[in-house]
Amino acid sequence: MIKHLFKLIWNKKKQNFLLITEMFISFLVIFGVFASLVYYYRNYKKPMGFTYDNVWVINYQNAKQFHSTDSVLQYYATLVAMLKNMPQIKALSFASGNVPFTSSINTTGLNYKGRNLSPVNFYQTGDGYRDAFNLNLLEGRWFNQQDQVSTYRPVVINAALRERLFGNGRAVGQLINDNANSVVKKIKIIGVVQDMKDKGDYLPSGMALYNRIDTGAMRYMGQLIIKVSPNADAAFESKLYKTVASYMKDASVEIEHFSKKRENTNKSTLIPIIILCIIAGFLIINVALGLFGVLWYNINRRRGEIGLRRAVGATGSSVSAQLIQESMILATFALIIGTFFAVQFPILNVFDIAASTYIIAIVLAVLFIYLLVFLCSLYPGKQAAAIYPAVALHEE
């Protein structure tokens, strides 16, 4: 029976080649969609690693410039003292521009025992950064005033970077090389925090390095992160804005809520995958209609063949099964070719995505194409089974 099916498929190889090509292209598109969905879903299931509710960021630009470092420190120390006097503010910290849920990115390169790691997300943070976001400390400690006189520049890393550098080994106290600005400097790890998904719910945290803001970098900061109490309302936000704007007269001030920034970031992340799903949906509909039409056309052309088979004793179910099996064999040819190209993604580590994500996407795409072909073959097969031998042979 299988040999007979292959012979029938080979006799219509030109027509079947076009159908196989259509299934092959559909498989690649479906594979891309499933790979994206699995990638986003697996990232979504991971914990955020920090809290963003009741956390705001004060953005200021073109702040007052000073020639003396002491003047800069005094200027911002006065601002911090003013804000700490407000009972609604529970924690605050200056930070670099790549705060959570923004498109700003700052990276560096690291070297440890001859192994280079790049890119590593680089964050400039203050002592209150951990309290503001309630970061989960896995090992060691966070920054404090004692780090101003450290022999080596103290840093905190996240769990992803620790795994790449030391596996499950202890990281606190280790010295690594920072290759920023083409100048190699020794830095010392003092703590490890849980991965922080600061690019939204659907993107990975990546490797992260947190550096304590030093006196020389204060003049370049433009963000002040504050954690407020749950009862902080619009009236307090207005008061906060007036306080900061009146003190920083030369700066443009804006207050943002991280909860709203998260929503906007997630929307911008999901837009491309939504567009891809819509395009894939139209393609699937076209493939289904095309497959349905081809099978329907084949039945009309093969009425004599089907009638003859029924006349010699073939049952309606066997005729229907034959058409479905032919379609599934064609789908198998297309999937073998498509899988060959799809497996190159995990082998070549394309886009630096885990191989298991691609493997799951391949399995889902294969099952989806088989299901689509099977469903599109059911009704034409049923119509073929309903052909009466006498009517079909009479028409011939």
Side-chain angles (χ1 to χ4, degrees):
M1 182 62 182
I2 299 297
K3 182 178 180 180
H4 176 68
L5 290 176
F6 276 98
K7 186 175 181 179
L8 291 175
I9 291 173
W10 176 257
N11 290 336
K12 297 181 294 180
K13 51 184 176 293
K14 184 177 180 180
Q15 178 182 346
N16 290 332
F17 174 77
L18 297 176
L19 194 58
I20 290 174
T21 303
E22 187 177 19
M23 293 181 185
F24 164 71
I25 296 175
S26 301
F27 169 79
L28 293 182
V29 174
I30 298 303
F31 164 70
V33 172
F34 276 123
S36 300
L37 292 176
V38 172
Y39 174 73
Y40 285 145
Y41 176 76
R42 297 181 79 174
N43 289 327
Y44 176 79
K45 294 296 291 182
K46 295 178 181 178
M48 288 295 293
F50 70 106
T51 59
Y52 49 83
D53 293 327
N54 302 318
V55 183
W56 303 351
V57 57
I58 303 174
N59 302 297
Y60 55 92
Q61 296 180 356
N62 303 320
K64 186 176 181 179
Q65 298 297 316
F66 299 92
H67 298 290
S68 170
T69 302
D70 292 336
S71 299
V72 174
L73 295 178
Q74 183 61 41
Y75 177 78
Y76 287 110
T78 303
L79 175 62
V80 169
M82 292 172 53
L83 296 179
K84 284 186 175 180
N85 287 330
M86 296 181 174
Q88 292 87 348
I89 296 180
K90 303 302 180 182
L92 58 84
S93 170
F94 289 95
S96 52
N98 53 341
V99 295
F101 311 132
T102 62
S103 58
S104 178
I105 298 176
N106 189 13
T107 61
T108 186
L110 300 177
N111 179 279
Y112 179 71
K113 292 184 177 180
R115 291 188 298 127
N116 292 314
L117 292 180
S118 180
V120 177
N121 294 315
F122 180 75
Y123 301 89
Q124 295 267 44
T125 63
D127 295 348
Y129 192 85
R130 180 202 171 194
D131 294 331
F133 287 113
N134 193 27
L135 299 182
N136 183 19
L137 195 62
L138 303 178
E139 184 181 343
R141 62 177 179 84
W142 190 255
F143 304 114
N144 56 43
Q145 292 294 329
Q146 298 176 358
D147 295 319
Q148 292 181 352
V149 293
S150 299
T151 303
Y152 298 103
R153 177 162 60 91
V155 297
V156 176
I157 63 175
N158 69 343
L161 181 55
R162 180 186 65 177
E163 183 179 356
R164 290 289 299 274
L165 288 174
F166 315 108
N168 294 325
R170 184 172 176 81
V172 172
Q174 299 287 347
L175 296 177
I176 57 178
N177 296 324
D178 184 2
N179 301 333
N181 302 322
S182 300
V183 178
V184 179
K185 296 181 179 180
K186 290 284 186 180
I187 56 178
K188 184 177 181 180
I189 300 174
I190 64 171
V192 179
V193 295
Q194 185 178 350
D195 293 343
M196 184 178 179
K197 291 198 306 184
D198 60 343
K199 301 305 178 187
D201 293 338
Y202 304 101
L203 294 178
S205 58
M207 299 179 292
L209 177 74
Y210 300 91
N211 181 70
R212 187 175 188 269
I213 299 175
D214 55 25
T215 55
M218 281 300 301
R219 66 178 73 240
Y220 305 111
M221 295 297 104
Q223 282 73 31
L224 180 59
I225 297 171
I226 61 172
K227 184 178 183 64
V228 299
S229 57
N231 62 351
D233 52 10
F236 170 73
E237 183 176 351
S238 176
K239 178 182 177 182
L240 176 65
Y241 174 84
K242 293 178 181 178
T243 300
V244 177
S246 61
Y247 182 77
M248 308 178 75
K249 295 183 176 62
D250 301 325
S252 58
V253 179
E254 179 188 15
I255 298 177
E256 294 181 290
H257 298 201
F258 279 107
S259 56
K260 294 182 180 179
K261 290 172 67 67
R262 168 182 166 270
E263 293 176 2
N264 295 332
T265 299
N266 287 339
K267 288 179 182 178
S268 62
T269 303
L270 290 177
I271 286 175
I273 190 61
I274 292 175
I275 295 175
L276 180 60
C277 289
I278 293 174
I279 296 175
F282 280 112
L283 177 63
I284 292 170
I285 294 173
N286 289 331
V287 171
L289 292 176
L291 181 60
F292 187 86
V294 168
L295 295 176
W296 187 277
Y297 177 72
N298 286 341
I299 292 173
N300 291 329
R301 290 193 60 184
R302 298 168 62 183
R303 291 180 67 86
E305 173 195 337
I306 296 173
L308 182 60
R309 289 198 62 205
R310 293 295 308 277
V312 297
T315 62
S317 59
S318 64
V319 172
S320 177
Q322 177 187 339
L323 292 177
I324 294 176
Q325 290 171 5
E326 289 181 16
S327 302
M328 300 300 280
I329 291 174
L330 292 177
T332 301
F333 287 148
L335 292 175
I336 290 174
I337 301 173
T339 303
F340 171 78
F341 286 97
V343 295
Q344 305 306 313
F345 284 80
I347 293 175
L348 301 177
N349 195 25
V350 180
F351 303 123
D352 196 24
I353 296 176
S356 58
T357 298
Y358 288 124
I359 294 174
I360 294 174
I362 291 174
V363 173
L364 292 176
V366 169
L367 295 177
F368 183 88
I369 293 297
Y370 271 134
L371 179 62
L372 178 67
V373 173
F374 177 76
L375 293 177
C376 292
S377 305
L378 279 180
Y379 187 73
K382 183 179 179 181
Q383 292 296 107
I387 295 177
Y388 289 99
V391 175
L393 294 177
H394 177 73
E395 292 176 353
E396 289 295 319

